[in-house]
Amino acid sequence: MGNNAIGSNWEDVRKELFTPAEIAESDLRVSIIGELIKARQEKGISQKRLEELSGVKQPIIARMEKGSTNPQLDTILKVLAPLGKTLAVVPLKTVNNE
């Protein structure tokens, strides 16, 4: 029997299901949250302590880290500041997907 799968790996499936803009947005979100988690862990700060430092409630921080919410920019900035981090606007990398 033939194989009717969409793609042979996740990257192929992603390209079939999502537009390049959707993929870029998802990758950016994952990158930002990954850096937030990394910075928090490197500083040895719990989510509860980060709540105290940032004013952002711990359940919101937990949902951000799990990726189950789409936080506002000001919320991300509030959480990043006590971690000694901020966001920067930089040129997009040009990727040839051919």
Side-chain angles (χ1 to χ4, degrees):
M1 292 192 180
N3 184 353
N4 293 329
I6 294 174
S8 60
N9 61 49
W10 173 240
E11 285 302 316
D12 290 345
V13 172
R14 260 177 84 165
K15 289 176 184 174
E16 290 284 331
L17 296 177
F18 304 105
T19 67
E22 289 171 327
I23 292 170
E25 181 181 330
S26 175
D27 288 349
L28 179 59
R29 184 177 292 117
V30 167
S31 178
I32 291 169
I33 297 304
E35 287 298 318
L36 184 154
I37 294 167
K38 180 179 165 186
R40 185 178 64 74
Q41 291 174 341
E42 285 175 351
K43 291 210 175 256
I45 297 174
S46 68
Q47 290 179 350
K48 187 65 178 167
R49 179 68 179 137
L50 188 53
E51 172 186 356
E52 295 165 3
L53 295 170
S54 69
V56 175
K57 298 290 185 189
Q58 183 275 329
I60 294 172
I61 294 169
R63 287 193 298 269
M64 285 173 54
E65 290 188 3
K66 284 179 15 184
S68 61
T69 187
N70 190 7
Q72 296 289 319
L73 181 58
D74 63 334
T75 303
I76 294 170
L77 294 172
K78 284 179 188 177
V79 171
L80 288 175
L83 300 173
K85 303 287 184 179
T86 191
L87 295 178
V89 177
V90 297
L92 290 172
K93 294 178 184 175
T94 304
V95 179
N96 185 354
N97 291 329
E98 297 179 337

